[in-house]
Amino acid sequence: MDGDGRYGQRVVWAVVDTAIGPLLLAATREGLVNVVFHATDEVRDKALERLASRLGREPVEEPGSPLLAEAIRQFDAYFAGERHSFELPLDWSLISGFNREVLRELATTVPFGTVVGYGDLAGRVGQPGAAQAVGMAMGANPLPVVVPCHRVVESGGGIGGFGGGLETKRRLLALEGVLPEPLL
């Protein structure tokens, strides 16, 4: 509990090293609220400023927090090839409307080792023809990897875009057996 008796209202964060570089993980009592790629000092600081602004609370670095412990354990297992899905409580407060609907559909219906096209995902949420809007939702995903936007690809076989960079998307898809492992 913090000094104001509001332990559950805190936003805690930690940076964890992974096979795709450092990730910032942030959580509230509701669950994991944000995952940020390439969490160098500069990226981390900007992400924490955004979180404070959006959530109205200053995030606190607390890598040993019980709010983060299970997320860190599951990320470690995922990148070690020992886990194919995340079973974590998620705090969806950073996303709403169509974007939340699309991301929830993605999280529940596109398992490890599979991909879906932007247009196919649009159809699954009853919005055929909204492939571009699905792409925008992927770009706004506050919980990448856990909500696997890396599994959304172009219908013509292209890899599509990715907020964490195309090399990161390739590495995640290779980890899941969708693409061959890069040679270098």
Side-chain angles (χ1 to χ4, degrees):
M1 190 173 296
D2 66 16
D4 297 326
R6 299 179 317 171
Y7 179 79
Q9 298 302 317
R10 295 178 66 199
V11 179
V12 295
W13 65 273
V15 173
V16 296
D17 289 321
T18 72
I20 58 169
L23 294 177
L24 180 140
L25 306 180
T28 67
R29 76 170 172 198
E30 300 300 318
L32 191 66
V33 71
N34 203 198
V35 176
V36 179
F37 291 112
H38 315 298
T40 60
D41 291 347
E42 183 179 345
V43 169
R44 180 201 65 214
D45 291 347
K46 286 180 182 177
L48 293 172
E49 286 174 22
R50 278 193 311 272
L51 270 176
S53 172
R54 300 270 318 270
L55 297 176
R57 306 184 277 273
E58 197 66 37
V60 177
E61 183 176 16
E62 197 173 316
S65 170
L67 298 175
L68 289 169
E70 184 60 18
I72 292 170
R73 189 185 73 68
Q74 289 189 29
F75 269 88
D76 287 345
Y78 172 81
F79 285 108
E82 300 164 357
R83 173 173 279 281
H84 292 173
S85 63
F86 290 89
E87 296 169 11
L88 296 169
L90 301 178
D91 179 338
W92 292 92
S93 63
L94 295 178
I95 198 129
S96 62
F98 176 79
N99 290 357
R100 183 186 289 191
E101 182 181 3
V102 168
L103 291 171
R104 283 182 182 262
E105 179 70 17
L106 172 65
T108 58
T109 66
V110 183
F112 183 93
T114 65
V115 294
V116 65
Y118 293 96
D120 292 337
L121 191 52
R124 290 183 186 190
V125 296
Q127 298 290 328
Q132 191 171 13
V134 167
M136 298 296 284
M138 296 305 106
N141 182 4
L143 295 162
V145 185
V146 176
V147 177
C149 52
H150 60 278
R151 297 179 190 152
V152 183
V153 298
E154 295 174 351
S155 60
I159 195 169
F162 193 62
L166 292 182
E167 182 56 30
T168 299
K169 186 171 187 173
R170 284 186 193 97
R171 292 179 73 190
L172 288 167
L173 291 173
L175 174 75
E176 296 189 8
V178 175
L179 292 177
E181 212 38 72
L183 295 176
L184 302 174

